[in-house]
Amino acid sequence: MSKAKGKAKQAKGKLKETTGRATDDKRMEAEGRAEKVQGKAHEAAADAKKKFER
């Protein structure tokens, strides 16, 4: 996964988390947090892969 896709997943997760908090939907809020973490992990993996290729 690319760094851009990781950033996009983080943004989507933040939106879900905020929407869940605003509507008092705990499940959506938790899904958003999980997506943010996944996005950060994908971004870190892309960074590591890029460093390894050098």
Side-chain angles (χ1 to χ4, degrees):
M1 183 169 269
S2 70
K3 190 171 183 174
K5 286 184 180 180
K7 288 273 190 196
K9 191 155 189 117
Q10 287 180 53
K12 182 180 172 189
K14 184 168 180 72
L15 180 64
K16 263 189 178 180
E17 183 180 10
T18 303
T19 302
R21 193 174 302 128
T23 60
D24 201 30
D25 185 344
K26 298 298 181 191
R27 183 176 177 178
M28 183 182 283
E29 189 177 345
E31 286 175 5
R33 276 195 301 274
E35 280 191 34
K36 280 179 20 183
V37 170
Q38 287 175 347
K40 287 179 184 179
H42 287 295
E43 187 178 359
D47 284 341
K49 183 178 177 185
K50 190 172 188 177
K51 287 181 182 178
F52 181 73
E53 289 175 349
R54 292 182 188 171

